[in-house]
Amino acid sequence: LSTRDRRLLILGIVAAQGNDAILKLQFSAGMAKGDLQESDLTEIPIFLSQYAGFPLSVVANTAAQKVRNDLSS
């Protein structure tokens, strides 16, 4: 598996667990390493809402928003 594939798997698992600290860490690392694009910070939580459920996708979206805000600063 590529690094991006592994990162996406990790994001799915930690989103299903509701682990916001690891979500933020993985989103940040993915952006820093070029594994993720800024559009992924929107698309991943939307996609996860169908499988992990809306409440956990909100946790993922909040973590992604924090990373997006950090990138804008």
Side-chain angles (χ1 to χ4, degrees):
L1 296 173
S2 70
T3 303
R4 176 181 164 80
D5 292 343
R6 291 172 195 225
R7 189 168 314 279
L8 292 172
L9 286 169
I10 291 168
L11 285 167
I13 291 166
V14 296
Q17 295 173 339
N19 191 330
D20 61 334
I22 300 297
L23 280 165
K24 187 172 183 286
L25 176 76
Q26 287 296 322
F27 279 130
S28 293
M31 292 297 293
K33 299 280 187 179
D35 297 330
L36 300 175
Q37 298 176 2
E38 190 166 347
S39 63
D40 292 327
L41 298 178
T42 301
E43 294 296 324
I44 290 171
I46 290 171
F47 181 79
L48 289 172
S49 70
Q50 303 301 310
Y51 297 95
F54 181 75
L56 291 172
S57 73
V58 170
V59 173
N61 189 55
T62 301
Q65 283 288 349
K66 288 178 183 175
V67 170
R68 186 180 292 113
N69 291 343
D70 290 347
L71 292 172
S72 299
S73 301

